Amino acid sequence: GSEERPMPEGNVGASAAAAVESSRAGVAADIAKAAVPEAELAKELVPVWKVIAEDPVNVRKTMSIESDVLGQKVAGDLVRGNQKGEWVELVDEPGFMVIIGA
């Protein structure tokens, strides 16, 4: 069978641009952003992906469709993760999901 795959809700560039715009809302916003640890700031810029496959999508232990299945996501689920080639590496939980059209 074919592996179901998530599609990006938005691209990294748009998310980063929106974050930059929001941080320029005022001096107070800039100061608040400056006080946020770098790791936290980077976390805010992680892309959100939406599962659009009709069937459940496997979350794999490694970037291989042969690796162990850690869980599944269903249509409409949103996950946060960074693209790694043809995969999304999840950031809020362990695992990887295959991307359509990577």
Side-chain angles (χ1 to χ4, degrees):
S2 65
E3 186 81 0
E4 298 79 30
R5 303 161 189 171
M7 284 290 285
E9 183 86 54
N11 64 48
V12 180
S15 300
V20 169
E21 280 304 308
S22 67
S23 73
R24 293 176 195 257
V27 175
D30 288 339
I31 292 170
K33 285 286 186 194
V36 175
E38 269 186 51
E40 286 301 311
L41 189 58
K43 191 174 177 182
E44 292 176 15
L45 301 178
V46 172
V48 174
W49 302 77
K50 182 176 185 177
V51 177
I52 61 166
E54 292 180 15
D55 296 320
V57 179
N58 291 324
V59 175
R60 301 280 182 174
K61 185 174 183 177
T62 65
M63 292 188 291
S64 165
I65 60 170
E66 304 299 322
S67 76
D68 294 343
V69 175
L70 301 178
Q72 292 186 323
K73 302 296 179 188
V74 297
D77 282 353
L78 298 178
V79 296
R80 293 188 326 128
N82 294 303
Q83 185 169 348
K84 304 280 185 188
E86 297 181 348
W87 294 81
V88 172
E89 180 178 10
L90 304 180
V91 297
D92 296 319
E93 61 188 286
F96 298 85
M97 296 172 73
V98 174
I99 305 170
I100 288 177

